[in-house]
Amino acid sequence: MRDSSRKSSEQEKAPGYGIQIGYRTLSIRVEEKDLPSKAKQSADPADAIASIDVHLISTDEVYTRYSCHPTVGLEEAAVQRRSKDGKNVISPPPTQHWKKILNYIFGGFNFLMWIAFIVTLLSYKPLGSPPAAVNLGVAVLLVRLGLCHMLVIIISATFYAFVDWNASRIMKSIKSLIAHEAAVIRDGKQQLIPATDIVVGDIVVLSTGDRIPADLRIVAASSDLRFDRSLLTGESDMVPGSLDATSDNALETRNLALTSTFVTQGTCNGIVFATGDRTIMGRLVKMSGETKFKLTTIQKEIWFFTKVISSVAFSMFGISLLLFGVWLRTTYVGYETISVAIMNSIGCLTAFVPQGLPLCVALSLTIIARRMSKRHVLVKNLATIETLGCMSVLCSDKTGTLTAGKMAVESIAFLDSHLLVSEIDEKISEAPEPGFFAGLSALHHTARLCNGAKFDSATDNLPVHERNVKGDPTDTALLRFSEALSIPALDIDAPALLSSWIKLFEIPFNSKNKWMLSVVQETKTTEGDITERNSSAWILVKGAPDMLVKSCSTVMRSDGAIVPFDEASRQHMSDLQSNWSSEGQRVLALCRKPLDVLKPNLSPNEMEELMYSEICNLTLVGLVGIRDPPRPDVPSSVDIIRRAGVRVFMVTGDFKLTAVAIARQVGIITQHSVDTIDDVKAAASEKHLTDKALSAIKPSEDDPIRALVLTGEDVSTLTPFDWHIVVGQYTEIVFARTTPDQKMKIVEEIKARGDNTVAVTGDGVNDAPALKAADIGVAMGSGSDVAKEAAALILLNNDFASIPVAIEMGRLVFDNLKKVTLYLMPVGSYTEFMAVVSNVVFGMQIPLSSYLQVCFSITNDVVMSISLMYEKAEADLMMRKPRNARTDRLTDWKLFFQIYLFLGLMAWPCAMSMWFVYMDQQGLGFTDVFFAYNKWNNTPYHGYSSDQLAQFVNVGQCIYYVTMVFMQYGNLLAIRNRRVSLLQSNPLWGPRKNLAVPIGMVATALIAVINLYGPGLQRVFLTTPIPGMFWGPPFAFGLAILCVDEIRKLIVRTYPKASAKLFQVVLLILMPQITVVCCQNGLVKPLVSLWSIIMLFVCWFSRSAFLSALSDTNTHLFTIVI
């Protein structure tokens, strides 16, 4: 019951779940309908699907219905006529624009702005009625406040829409680079064409790993044909294919291959009976509508932060109203009306919210997406990049991923001799007679006829090595070798061979058997007709030597003689295999056996059973060594990935020695000594890891580097304690001869230990289960459709070097988002909030107007923070340990500590001091401004009229605003780097050059000037020029913040292990010094006293950290303190 519940839950979370529901619903409805005698037009998809009867008719009738020939296919004229029906493209579901618009308008912090806007209107009327002369000023303020809130909403919504449109455009342009092709038979030739050009009646040729391009009726199939229909059904079990109908329901029968599903095993041919929107998938997409929205990991982090900030903002809103109701309304009568109280409470709510943060997050992800698109990396979800930054283990397939996938036959061997392919012609010419190498004829015969790869007929006129081939790399290598091999003296000629032999049956290669079998029979030509000669058929087998040699009883010599396969011969061939494998060659055994009796009219399943029983007493024709060189960019990429703290494991189906040899070439294994399963078992018997939590099972930095090689057979014997040893003690691991199930098990076992974030790279069908099981699946662009569907990331240009770049981008996006948050909050939120608190709680005129609050958050801060999004990676970014995705949050207590008790605690007192200095110049001391409450309205106040007091407030607010703007310069330069000094990373030149920083500074300064000197803004929002002396100190404040942070970085670099505690020590040391500086500069003593009280509280609550930090450091720390 529990398993069933869990499976159901997983399905709900799976992408495409709406399609799966639609598929199952349609299937039930089709079952309930009677099959009509002919197709009829109906808006109901169930009627259209119930009218499908192509699966119920015979194969010959299918050919007749669609006017195509089994071997010729469609002729060009027929293709031209049928292409008028439209492209084979499924139309995307209509976008529900109204939902997007609502999300733009109410998304992020906009819902708080709407609440503020509505409450502002209510506070004007009816709560603020009537707007008598005494309330007229309040009414004007409320209108301005409402305009500010609406301005925020309009700007935010417009920006959200622009970023969404831009991101969608980028992703569409990347996806358009993926070329989906299909193999079809036209004019008697097999051709590769774009899948969009398929027409009804085309004969499509499918093999393992292919995505089905249209709805097909299967007309020819191998006995092991299997489909993956999980996209439709939600079930991962493979569905067998057949030639005959297994159900009247077109959705349930097994002789139809449906669009967008995959061939996971075997081969087949099918006739297209529906394309595009007329396919079953097309109808389901139309029914299911828009894909359901699902939060990504980074979106969850932002949403969590939004909820925290919103909750605090609402709390402040409520506390402000509560203070008015129980204290201010009765103690200071006339200080605030209900309208003013609501306005001030709204100020608490909006000031605490960093309105620019969601805009910056969206823009940052868009910038990263653009960078990845330039690398030709398809990211199915932008958040995948951030997850790549957490990668701690990379499990990579070998063939086509670490290696180039361009296999070529390099060596061949018989029992008594072996030679390089490049030496064949020379050796034959040196031999007394060609018959000394008669065995080459049998080897060529097996390599060419027992082969699943095919040349694209459109490239037949090109040299063999330039022709396009459809097939896996191993078969491709053998195909090119056997096609190019031509020795007239031995009657070795590929075209003549193909014309004189026919293939009767085939069992394609699969990862379990690790061999391929073909049954062929010779034919003879008589007066143009091909008839079967009364000769025996042959069983031809090729595959892994360790799987086939044990089934061989005889072996062939180079002259074609067959001798018994005795123990000495077996050892000789085994040694040869080991030698080749140690050089990095993939070794295949080619075997054959005559089949004297072949029963006619056997079904495919019966034929398969017969062939399995015949895999015995084979003749080992010879061994073939195939070289697949590593990609040139892999060794350097592996080195970068390992220096980033990511362990790189190889998981391959290849032979152990071959895998280890390639692993050494690319840098996955660097140790001379490589442990085996015996060493793991011996270490596990000690059981010294039993007391460790699963999250703690990982190699220590102090542990020596150890290498390990395990086979699939070894993996199946590992116990949980063994896995503790494998994952917890080894840095370099090669898993060889693994099956898809074993690959998936390896990924799951690694994920379960050490809090690992596991990425898997692969390109074949066998890699798909592991790609799905991994945290991040990475597929090569040249890989199978199944692999690309299972992966979250596709390297379109097959560039392995894109992986370290993606890791760096993932770490960079997280770093930059943290920097943006750290930049916005101290001033854009904290300093604004303290301005409102001073008004609500301490009875002071608000030192920052609502308009300047909004303008600073939406314009100044966003413009400056854009420069952070263009920051390059810090020098040590790829030297750090991977981030633990389960414990390291975007916003944690350390971040809030730095915001509210370090940067923010320097920022808001500086801005507030400028307010008090200006008021002091006007003859209004600290006590005249602080705790003024309703006395401010009792004009004349200290000889000033209400208009004069209002002008003082307006100028003071602009001073506060300008101080915030230019003080942010120092904050920006401080948080650009976590540890490196500005002297080594200035934004004007050098490796960390970022001209967006000075451009942002100039832009935000211009915005400030426009706000203060713009005539329209002065008239509407009461902004005003400020005295010249107040333009200078903000720069000094910014410089002070930068210098304090430089000292923090110096201590962090000097004492990296005690950085968190020393961070607090620096705070406690420097803050009193800043207080003294403020006092010495003649600032009002009450402000200094208030600051000192705050610092006393900070010191008291941080006393334990202070003492602990002192105890953890040496005497040199006291020198720094002094």
Side-chain angles (χ1 to χ4, degrees), residues 34 48 80 104 138 209 279 305 377 501 644 728 892 900 1033:
D34 295 328
Q80 293 296 330
Y104 298 151
V138 174
T279 63
F305 180 69
V377 176
W501 289 82
D892 53 14
Y900 294 111

Side-chain angles (χ1 to χ4, degrees), residues 780-823:
M780 294 293 169
S782 60
S784 67
D785 290 336
V786 176
K788 287 187 280 191
E789 181 68 23
L793 200 74
I794 302 176
L795 310 181
L796 296 176
N797 58 353
N798 306 310
D799 185 8
F800 193 86
S802 295
I803 294 179
V805 172
I807 295 174
E808 185 178 30
M809 288 293 178
R811 296 184 179 189
L812 181 62
V813 72
F814 188 84
D815 252 23
N816 286 354
L817 286 178
K818 205 155 193 170
K819 290 174 184 177
V820 167
T821 306
L822 197 57
Y823 169 78

Side-chain angles (χ1 to χ4, degrees), residues 530-832:
I530 297 179
T531 61
E532 294 184 7
R533 188 184 297 174
N534 295 325
S535 62
S536 62
W538 283 89
I539 297 176
L540 307 179
V541 191
K542 76 168 190 298
D546 45 323
M547 303 297 289
L548 290 179
V549 166
K550 57 189 176 184
S551 300
C552 294
S553 59
T554 55
V555 61
M556 184 175 290
R557 298 167 59 92
S558 59
D559 60 2
I562 297 175
V563 297
F565 201 15
D566 55 24
E567 197 61 37
S569 301
R570 291 179 187 273
Q571 187 61 46
H572 172 73
M573 300 302 278
S574 177
D575 292 343
L576 184 60
Q577 178 193 359
S578 298
N579 291 337
W580 283 1
S581 297
S582 298
E583 296 171 1
Q585 294 187 62
R586 170 176 287 188
V587 184
L588 292 182
L590 303 184
C591 309
R592 69 177 187 174
K593 176 184 178 180
L595 188 62
D596 296 325
V597 180
L598 184 60
K599 297 179 182 179
N601 302 323
L602 290 177
S603 68
N605 290 334
E606 292 172 336
M607 188 68 171
E608 183 173 0
E609 291 178 7
L610 175 62
M611 291 303 103
Y612 273 99
S613 67
E614 293 287 344
I615 302 294
C616 61
N617 297 323
L618 300 175
T619 296
L620 177 61
V621 175
L623 300 181
V624 174
I626 300 175
R627 176 78 67 182
D628 187 12
R631 294 179 184 273
D633 58 337
V634 169
S636 59
S637 300
V638 169
D639 182 57
I640 294 171
I641 294 170
R642 292 191 61 172
R643 281 192 278 114
V646 180
R647 290 185 285 170
V648 183
F649 300 159
M650 178 189 288
V651 186
T652 179
D654 220 330
F655 187 61
K656 179 171 67 173
L657 294 178
T658 305
V660 171
I662 296 296
R664 289 190 186 280
Q665 292 176 28
V666 300
I668 291 177
I669 287 184
T670 59
Q671 302 303 298
H672 177 72
S673 175
V674 180
D675 290 352
T676 62
I677 184 67
D678 295 332
D679 300 289
V680 173
K681 294 290 184 182
S685 64
E686 301 174 12
K687 298 185 178 180
H688 60 282
L689 291 175
T690 53
D691 296 334
K692 275 192 174 183
L694 287 177
S695 59
I697 297 176
K698 49 189 168 184
S700 169
E701 291 182 5
D702 301 326
D703 290 344
I705 296 176
R706 299 176 63 185
L708 173 68
V709 59
L710 296 173
T711 65
E713 186 177 342
D714 296 335
V715 168
S716 61
T717 66
L718 294 178
T719 66
F721 291 121
D722 297 336
W723 278 111
H724 292 348
I725 299 296
V726 171
V727 179
Q729 294 189 2
Y730 289 95
T731 307
E732 303 175 345
I733 306 179
V734 169
F735 297 95
R737 278 288 186 254
T738 54
T739 65
D741 290 342
Q742 288 167 345
K743 288 184 180 182
M744 186 168 64
K745 179 179 177 62
I746 290 167
V747 172
E748 291 172 344
E749 294 290 349
I750 296 173
K751 284 173 61 178
R753 293 165 176 80
D755 271 351
N756 285 311
T757 298
V758 181
V760 172
T761 67
D763 66 341
V765 180
N766 297 339
D767 303 316
L771 289 169
K772 286 184 179 179
D775 295 298
I776 314 138
V778 183
M780 294 293 169
S782 60
S784 67
D785 290 336
V786 176
K788 287 187 280 191
E789 181 68 23
L793 200 74
I794 302 176
L795 310 181
L796 296 176
N797 58 353
N798 306 310
D799 185 8
F800 193 86
S802 295
I803 294 179
V805 172
I807 295 174
E808 185 178 30
M809 288 293 178
R811 296 184 179 189
L812 181 62
V813 72
F814 188 84
D815 252 23
N816 286 354
L817 286 178
K818 205 155 193 170
K819 290 174 184 177
V820 167
T821 306
L822 197 57
Y823 169 78
L824 294 176
M825 294 297 289
V827 178
S829 173
Y830 190 21
T831 303
E832 288 185 0

Side-chain angles (χ1 to χ4, degrees), residues 47-94:
D47 287 334
I49 294 173
S51 68
I52 296 174
D53 64 347
V54 67
H55 58 297
L56 301 176
I57 61 179
S58 67
T59 303
D60 291 337
E61 290 177 299
V62 175
Y63 285 119
T64 302
R65 174 179 292 187
Y66 295 104
S67 304
C68 59
H69 190 274
T71 58
V72 177
L74 289 179
E75 296 178 348
E76 186 60 29
V79 172
Q80 293 296 330
R81 289 195 305 271
R82 300 185 186 194
S83 61
K84 296 178 181 179
D85 294 337
K87 291 285 186 180
N88 178 36
V89 177
I90 296 177
S91 305

Side-chain angles (χ1 to χ4, degrees), residues 140 144 147-148 151 851-852 1007 1009-1025:
V140 173
R144 290 187 186 126
L147 288 175
C148 290
L151 180 66
Y851 166 73
L852 292 176
I1007 293 172
V1009 170
I1010 291 171
N1011 275 322
L1012 269 58
Y1013 293 93
L1017 297 174
Q1018 289 180 347
R1019 185 169 54 255
V1020 177
F1021 296 110
L1022 303 181
T1023 57
T1024 181

Side-chain angles (χ1 to χ4, degrees), residues 155-176:
I155 293 175
S156 299
T158 304
F159 200 87
Y160 289 149
F162 171 75
V163 169
D164 187 37
W165 170 80
N166 196 35
S168 299
R169 184 175 58 85
I170 292 171
M171 298 311 292
K172 285 180 180 178
S173 66
I174 298 174
K175 289 180 180 179
S176 66

